Amino acid sequence: MINIEELERRKIEVDAAISNIMRTGQLVQTRNGRVEHASLSELRAERAAIEQQIADCYRSSAGDSWGTKVNFVGRG
């Protein structure tokens, strides 16, 4: 299973890609020709999916981490 840190890193990368497309546009002209960036709608869908996975991770771990886990070793 993928961890929350990896999901947060992927979310930052997708946010950077979205920001780049918003600044430069979907289609960029270079000296060698035109370059089309990834689809903005697909990147936004990917970001929503990552956010959902992060929420699911927090939700699933919330049930396991109620309080502080303590081991008790009594007299034996």
Side-chain angles (χ1 to χ4, degrees):
M1 185 175 156
I2 196 164
N3 61 18
I4 293 174
E5 291 82 20
E6 177 68 20
L7 290 169
E8 291 288 350
R9 186 189 60 74
R10 284 179 47 200
K11 181 180 165 190
I12 291 169
E13 291 173 354
V14 170
D15 284 342
I18 290 171
S19 177
N20 188 31
I21 291 173
M22 297 298 287
R23 270 194 332 272
T24 61
Q26 194 76 31
L27 190 63
V28 179
Q29 180 69 41
T30 66
R31 289 191 296 179
N32 297 330
R34 293 182 178 182
V35 177
E36 186 171 350
H37 288 292
S39 170
L40 187 58
S41 62
E42 289 178 12
L43 285 172
R44 287 181 173 159
E46 176 69 18
R47 186 179 193 283
I50 291 170
E51 286 181 336
Q52 183 62 46
Q53 288 177 336
I54 291 171
D56 291 344
C57 285
Y58 280 123
R59 194 175 308 116
S60 68
S61 67
D64 296 339
S65 63
W66 185 82
T68 303
K69 294 183 180 183
V70 177
N71 287 334
F72 177 74
V73 180
R75 295 183 185 182

